[in-house]
Amino acid sequence: MAARLSHGGDELAETHEINVTPFIDVMLVLLIIFMVAAPLATVDVPVDLPSSNAPPRPHPEKPVTLTIRADLTLALDGGDVTREALGAALDQATGGDKEERITLSADRAVSYGDLTAVMNSLRSAGYLKVSLVGLDGGGAP
């Protein structure tokens, strides 16, 4: 509530204005909180992905993601898995559906031969639909 002094008497005149400054302060604080908290809400396996020039394709609701880390260990949907147990872990993750697309991401440091070996493991397990993940970007090597 704001008040103005009148020149003539002891009474204060009321003004019917809303001070919006506290509302703006609250909104800015909430904006900062959401900007800080949003990146923390994603849980991913940290890999250095190469970039790609291919047009993006629509993503499935819940993709099955297989990640090859720089030290050549495998992670299936964020959980560690060995190469020997890869087929069984994929069957469990897909419910035995061999037609489901497997999203494969590999660290930039992984050699082509190691990537091919993992893709051969996917093929021998019966999973022929494989999507490779890369970063959007220009022609960066």
Side-chain angles (χ1 to χ4, degrees):
M1 184 183 304
R4 294 186 186 164
L5 294 174
S6 62
H7 294 293
D10 289 337
E11 293 185 26
L12 297 175
E14 286 186 18
T15 59
H16 300 283
E17 298 174 2
I18 296 175
N19 188 0
V20 295
T21 304
F23 296 125
I24 293 172
D25 291 343
V26 168
M27 295 306 287
L28 289 174
V29 168
L30 288 175
L31 177 67
I32 291 170
I33 289 172
F34 286 122
M35 286 174 58
V36 169
L40 300 176
T42 59
V43 177
D44 289 326
V45 178
V47 291
D48 184 18
L49 294 174
S51 60
S52 171
N53 292 338
R57 298 185 52 125
H59 298 289
E61 280 185 27
K62 179 74 173 100
V64 177
T65 304
L66 179 64
T67 304
I68 308 171
R69 297 185 184 106
D71 61 354
L72 302 180
T73 58
L74 300 176
L76 183 63
D77 288 335
D80 291 339
V81 64
T82 63
R83 288 188 192 219
E84 296 79 24
L86 181 60
L90 284 169
D91 288 339
Q92 182 181 9
T94 62
D97 182 13
K98 303 283 186 184
E99 294 297 313
E100 187 164 347
R101 185 170 305 277
I102 307 299
T103 305
L104 180 62
S105 63
D107 194 277
R108 186 183 307 259
V110 174
S111 71
Y112 183 73
D114 293 324
L115 178 65
T116 305
V118 172
M119 291 180 74
N120 286 336
S121 298
L122 290 173
R123 181 183 308 274
S124 65
Y127 293 93
L128 303 178
K129 294 185 177 183
V130 178
S131 295
L132 297 176
V133 178
L135 296 176
D136 290 334

